[in-house]
Amino acid sequence: MKQFTRVMKALSDPNRVRVLKLLQRENLCVCNIQEFLKLAQSTVSRHMKTLEDAGLVEHERQGTWIIYRLTDNQESVYGAAMLAHLENWLEDDKELEQMRLKRDQVIENTKLCIT
Amino acid sequence: MKQFTRVMKALSDPNRVRVLKLLQRENLCVCNIQEFLKLAQSTVSRHMKTLEDAGLVEHERQGTWIIYRLTDNQESVYGAAMLAHLENWLEDDKELEQMRLKRDQVIENTKLCIT
DNA sequence: TTTATATATCGCAATATGGCGATATATAAA
DNA sequence: TTTATATATCGCCATATTGCGATATATAAA
């Protein structure tokens, strides 16, 4: 039960869902996520911890960067199912489209940590 | 997005999940749900509103009782998917088992509003 | 070692959430 | 109409959440 509600709670915040939708396309460092979402760094860091505690993302250090990615081999059936759904869900969301435009701008300026 | 996060938030509380798991077996009035969950009536009523706003349950009046049931024809793809998952998920949960025992007792005493 | 950059953590403020009891409302029965 | 029962809503309190800036920590470069 706790494991299930933890995943649901992680998915109940729009900014965290935006992070997951971003990570569908590419693995990202905190600073880029911060830039796309226009949130304070500390706020993003906390959201990432919530997502990681729910088993939805995992991280890896690359120098000074912490690269986050969607968890591949889920230990949680709930997380796995929800990530699978999110591949299709919200694909035509207007808000997310805006965020992707921002992402494309950053990529043009080659300010992406991981290319 | 809002529709999605509303469903996720509704599912992020253990008591609300318990209600949904109960409703899998039979439609129930508020007073019985209150009895199974051991919560104040006002608390149950608010949880039911949250679930209904998320499109997960719907209600029907039968005399003085309000009978709640899982929504059949979901207008929301998210709600439909989650209710489908919940048919299988948490089936072996210990906490839920306790709640079902309580339910069985009530049924023995024929205190169930809807039989 | 010092400096710079990236990230995590802490403390605070505003708001949301979930519990309750009291009360309002609606229906059915007397 | 009065009474009883079921449910919804309101107000309150304790706690959780989410935002931020400030600060601690970790790595890389100078």
Side-chain angles (χ1 to χ4, degrees), chain A residues 64-75:
Chain A
T64 55
W65 295 327
I66 305 287
I67 308 299
Y68 279 93
R69 60 166 172 270
L70 301 181
T71 306
D72 337 288
N73 296 322
Q74 291 277 331
E75 75 252 26

Side-chain angles (χ1 to χ4, degrees), chain B residues 7-24:
Chain B
V7 173
M8 294 301 108
K9 180 148 292 190
L11 294 171
S12 71
D13 179 84
N15 279 323
R16 283 194 293 267
V17 176
R18 289 181 188 117
V19 169
L20 295 178
K21 293 298 287 182
L22 277 171
L23 292 178
Q24 277 177 5

Side-chain angles (χ1 to χ4, degrees), chain B residues 56-87:
Chain B
L56 293 167
V57 306
E58 53 194 11
H59 74 269
E60 178 191 1
R61 180 176 282 278
Q62 281 190 19
T64 55
W65 297 327
I66 305 286
I67 308 299
Y68 279 94
R69 61 168 171 268
L70 301 182
T71 305
D72 337 289
N73 296 322
Q74 291 277 330
E75 76 252 28
S76 150
V77 61
Y78 313 125
M82 297 314 295
L83 285 183
H85 278 306
L86 278 175
E87 285 178 23

